[in-house]
Amino acid sequence: MNKFFGFLEKRLLPPLNKVANTKVVRGIMNASLAAVPFTIVASIFLILNNLPTIFPFAATFFQNTLLRFSAFYSIGNTMALGTIAVYYSLAIGYYYIEEYRKAGEEKLNAFTGSVLSLFAFLMTIPSIIWKNGAAVGVSTKVVENTGSVNGLALANGWITRFGGVGIFISIIMGILAVQVYRFCVNRDLTIKMPEGVPAGVSRSFASLIPVVLVAFIVIIIVSILGFLGTDIHALLSVPFGFVKYLTGSWLGMVIILLLIHLLWIVGVHGTAIIKNSFINPILLVALTENINGSHNIFAGDFINMWVFLGGAGGTLGLALLMNFAAKSKQLKILGHTAIIPSIFNINEPIIFGAPIVYNPYLIIPFLVNPIVSASLAYFAIKIGIVGVVNTAIAWVLPVGVGAWLGTGGNIPAVILAFINLAISIAIYYPFFRMYDQKLLAEEKN
């Protein structure tokens, strides 16, 4: 076991920690967290539209009352989730600059970086190609609110690339804009105003050259791709689609969960390093596709609905065992302390109090339980027993509640959540019992 822990500390942890602590990854992670409120707000309005499905016995009532106002409140969904890439763009520019400011580059201005990032992203939105000796925006016949007009792809009266499909491009263009801005500032390629000029005026002129450079660079990229009959969104949809496919496969999901929990058992916040930094943008794209009718299994808050019941490792079952089956004082007291946080998926008291970290008794179920729970949920959705995730939820929702709301009122999703809880109790029990007996013997001595 010591060799196993040593392998994790020497081989797995250093490279992952190094990557996760790079400025660009930390910027993406913070941008991802900044986008969470918009997904939840959007989901509130989606839930309103799904009330007839959630409460079928009152479907007629909702159709004749609340849903008559759908066109009004659906604006909230369109401008939150349907425009999520815009918020990502602003956030990546801001937080990426903040990482450089923390490292000592205090001449940089986070707001300027944010606006430049958005500017670069917006320039990629129109799809322009070279046709019959002239640059023209791609246009297709608009059928049922779906089509393309002057290079703008539309769906349901809104620009599709502002939504989840644009997230990856917003990240790339944000990184490009920040690096151009840094280049200009660090080499004094800015317009400096005399002393006494208001700070806001000085900043606006200081950003003029970076704005021009960003504009020219993006125009060159767009023009080259336009001559080739494509654009940056279409070009990058293939590799990102492949990445999304890998992470959305059963094997990809298992590897992600293993990495998260292997980091946790050596005391590192695996959820923050793996999920929040790398996986959340992919899950959000899959969620937006599901809202529009796709069938992505590993999407949105899949992990929080069926896997992290009580937190990483699905430790709510372990907390229940501590409360109702523990004989040792240590685990009994810890169980009383940790049960309320565990109900709301906060399990640091258990991870560091039991502890699970470096504990050979508990690391096996801590690694196995999430894979079993996720696999059961994955194949239940795949064969159609459980509905797909189509609504964003808050990660603190208790077991069953999140699954119910996140699938638009799908009852089998709720049943699955409680089945996974029961399975987690069964998986943890033999290891919990051995550990509890060891602690009890130590207390008697």
Side-chain angles (χ1 to χ4, degrees):
M1 189 60 68
N2 287 334
K3 289 183 178 179
F4 176 66
F5 286 132
F7 169 78
L8 294 181
E9 289 178 341
K10 292 179 182 178
R11 303 297 179 189
L12 178 64
L13 183 56
L16 285 176
N17 240 339
K18 188 174 181 180
V19 172
N21 284 308
T22 58
K23 295 178 181 63
V24 65
V25 171
R26 291 188 63 81
I28 293 171
M29 179 181 71
N30 288 324
S32 176
L33 295 175
V36 168
F38 296 99
T39 64
I40 293 176
V41 167
S43 295
I44 292 172
F45 299 109
L46 281 175
I47 290 171
L48 292 178
N49 277 341
N50 285 329
L51 285 176
T53 304
I54 298 173
F55 303 106
F57 58 87
T60 303
F61 169 77
F62 289 124
Q63 291 285 355
N64 294 330
T65 55
L66 183 65
L67 294 186
R68 294 175 65 185
F69 301 91
S70 175
F72 288 120
Y73 62 73
S74 291
I75 295 172
N77 173 63
T78 301
M79 296 306 164
L81 196 59
T83 318
I84 194 69
V86 173
Y87 305 126
Y88 248 95
S89 182
L90 289 166
I92 189 68
Y94 183 90
Y95 287 110
Y96 194 19
I97 287 290
E98 280 295 293
E99 291 300 318
Y100 281 107
R101 284 179 55 81
K102 291 175 186 176
E105 298 185 28
E106 296 182 0
K107 290 182 179 180
L108 299 175
N109 181 273
F111 178 76
T112 301
S114 183
V115 174
L116 282 170
S117 174
L118 177 61
F119 175 57
F121 171 64
L122 291 177
M123 290 187 69
T124 70
I125 298 301
S127 180
I128 301 172
I129 60 173
W130 187 261
K131 186 177 181 181
N132 298 328
V136 294
V138 174
S139 295
T140 60
K141 187 177 180 180
V142 178
V143 180
E144 295 182 358
N145 293 323
T146 301
S148 184
V149 179
N150 292 329
L152 299 178
L154 305 173
N156 299 318
W158 194 238
I159 300 171
T160 58
R161 289 177 174 180
F162 280 175
V165 296
I167 287 176
F168 291 120
I169 305 302
S170 71
I171 292 172
I172 290 173
M173 301 315 294
I175 294 169
L176 171 66
V178 166
Q179 291 303 329
V180 171
Y181 177 44
R182 285 185 64 235
F183 175 84
C184 293
V185 171
N186 292 336
R187 286 163 178 76
D188 289 327
L189 297 177
T190 58
I191 297 174
K192 296 180 181 178
M193 300 300 290
E195 291 185 11
V197 175
V201 177
S202 295
R203 278 197 299 269
S204 66
F205 275 92
S207 63
L208 179 58
I209 293 178
V211 169
V212 171
L213 276 179
V214 168
F216 274 104
I217 290 172
V218 178
I219 287 172
I220 290 169
I221 294 172
V222 168
S223 300
I224 293 172
L225 294 176
F227 274 106
L228 297 175
T230 186
D231 59 46
I232 192 167
H233 288 262
L235 182 68
L236 294 180
S237 65
V238 175
F240 280 125
F242 180 67
V243 171
K244 180 170 157 292
Y245 169 77
L246 286 180
T247 55
S249 65
W250 174 80
L251 181 59
M253 180 187 68
V254 168
I255 292 173
I256 289 166
L257 290 171
L258 270 176
L259 289 174
I260 289 172
H261 291 85
L262 285 171
L263 289 176
W264 268 119
I265 66 176
V266 290
V268 179
H269 202 305
T271 307
I273 289 179
I274 302 297
K275 182 176 179 289
N276 295 350
S277 299
F278 302 106
I279 307 304
N280 273 355
I282 298 172
L283 295 178
L284 182 55
V285 171
L287 172 65
T288 57
E289 291 178 355
N290 283 357
I291 291 172
N292 294 320
S294 294
H295 196 272
N296 297 304
I297 298 175
F298 194 45
D301 292 281
F302 176 100
I303 290 177
N304 294 323
M305 292 177 191
W306 295 295
V307 184
F308 283 9
L309 305 179
T315 55
L316 178 57
L318 180 58
L320 292 171
L321 287 171
M322 289 178 179
N323 274 273
F324 298 106
K327 293 188 167 97
S328 64
K329 289 182 180 179
Q330 177 179 326
L331 293 186
K332 193 172 292 186
I333 292 171
L334 177 62
H336 295 336
T337 304
I339 187 62
I340 298 300
S342 291
I343 290 173
F344 297 99
N345 305 321
I346 300 168
N347 68 343
E348 278 80 359
I350 287 180
I351 287 179
F352 298 105
I356 289 174
V357 175
Y358 290 108
N359 188 337
Y361 287 90
L362 296 177
I363 62 169
I364 293 176
F366 186 76
L367 291 172
V368 171
N369 181 53
I371 294 173
V372 173
S373 298
S375 299
L376 189 59
Y378 184 93
F379 290 108
I381 295 173
K382 189 175 182 67
I383 62 178
I385 297 175
V386 172
V388 297
V389 181
N390 55 23
T391 307
I393 62 167
W395 61 271
V396 293
L397 290 177
V399 56
V401 178
W404 186 58
L405 293 175
T407 55
N410 185 255
I411 298 301
V414 179
I415 296 171
L416 175 62
F418 283 100
I419 289 174
N420 280 354
L421 176 60
I423 290 173
S424 73
I425 294 173
I427 291 174
Y428 272 108
Y429 179 72
F431 301 93
F432 156 80
R433 186 178 179 187
M434 287 189 293
Y435 186 47
D436 186 45
Q437 289 175 342
K438 171 185 175 292
L439 294 178
L440 182 62
E442 290 177 355
E443 289 172 2
K444 287 182 178 179
N445 290 331

